[in-house]
Amino acid sequence: MNDRLAEHLARLSKFLSLVLRHDPAAIGLELDANGWTDIATLLSKAAAAGRPMERADLDTVIALNDKRRFSLSDDGLRLRAAQGHSVAVDLAVAEATPPALLYHGTARRFLDAILQQGLKPQSRNHVHLSADTATATEVGRRHGRPVVLRVDTAAALTAGVRFYCADNGVWLAGPVPAGCLALADPPAA
Ligand code: HQG
């Protein structure tokens, strides 16, 4: 893939994230209760709003997306973001039993507040957790100098936290109390 195409597809992926997670109204779109849109409607609304997208590019973004951010319905007719929403949607993913430890990457400047207040979903519907520290470090880096927290999921379950695994394997949870958190071991040098 040449650089121009890669850039074009990255822009399309960002635009889809905006529309399917945060602001469907930006192109006059309505998501259903579970966050799905009909692909034909998405294409026509995007075109009408002056942001036309080619079906082939959409298919490439869905198939090649590094984090599998977008999920197709079984019949291939509908699309949704796998996670990351701020608009009210019910992903209708079943509660799942998490591994003993999950990880949350954040910026160092948020650490004191998190260790006092616990992890909050902030502007999103859920707290996002990773199954490994490498992924969590990258998530944290988006916000600044990264630091990784370890979530004791047994303690969190006892405290009433519910865990869900999104279509793309990202773990989602309700607010996580500070007592279930500890700094993860720094990666081996
Ligand atoms: C922090 C990306 C102060 C939290 C990623 C985070 C992820 C607190 C920030 C997904 C806090 C929210 C989500 C508290 C939490 N006090 N700060 N009590 N509790 N925070 O972007 O988890 O690439 O909404 O640590 O890979 O960083 O978009 O959440 O730093 O999976 O597909 O508040 O977004 O996925 O930031 O990232 P975000 P996140 P995509």
Side-chain angles (χ1 to χ4, degrees):
M1 184 184 300
N2 66 40
D3 287 355
R4 267 189 69 190
L5 179 58
E7 214 172 279
H8 170 67
L9 295 179
R11 265 201 309 272
L12 177 55
S13 173
K14 284 203 171 129
F15 181 64
L16 284 172
S17 286
L18 170 77
V19 166
L20 298 178
R21 291 173 171 179
H22 307 300
D23 193 10
I27 58 166
L29 190 68
E30 276 181 38
L31 306 179
D32 78 6
N34 306 129
W36 295 102
T37 175
D38 185 75
I39 291 178
T41 309
L42 169 68
L43 292 173
S44 70
K45 294 276 186 188
R51 292 294 303 254
M53 48 180 99
E54 298 286 337
R55 175 65 203 242
D57 288 348
L58 185 65
D59 288 339
T60 307
V61 167
I62 297 166
L64 295 189
N65 194 264
D66 55 347
K67 289 164 104 178
R68 293 190 291 128
R69 288 184 178 86
F70 308 107
S71 311
L72 269 181
S73 58
D74 289 340
D75 61 11
L77 296 176
R78 292 175 305 145
L79 186 70
R80 74 175 180 182
Q83 35 72 216
H85 299 79
S86 58
V87 288
V89 296
D90 173 7
L91 291 175
V93 284
E95 252 184 278
T97 307
L101 292 177
L102 284 171
Y103 300 93
H104 179 85
T106 188
R108 282 184 183 273
R109 69 181 186 284
F110 299 148
L111 198 54
D112 287 351
I114 292 173
L115 290 175
Q116 268 179 13
Q117 305 161 7
L119 282 172
K120 298 179 175 178
Q122 308 291 45
S123 64
R124 304 190 197 249
N125 297 343
H126 295 98
V127 169
H128 283 55
L129 302 168
S130 309
D132 61 88
T133 54
T135 306
T137 302
E138 290 316 307
V139 173
R141 207 184 299 286
R142 292 160 46 254
H143 298 288
R145 199 147 68 92
V147 60
V148 175
L149 291 161
R150 196 170 70 199
V151 178
D152 174 345
T153 63
L157 286 164
T158 303
V161 178
R162 294 174 169 199
F163 291 88
Y164 307 87
C165 191
D167 304 340
N168 62 350
V170 170
W171 284 90
L172 306 173
V176 180
C180 310
L181 304 173
L183 277 178
D185 298 332

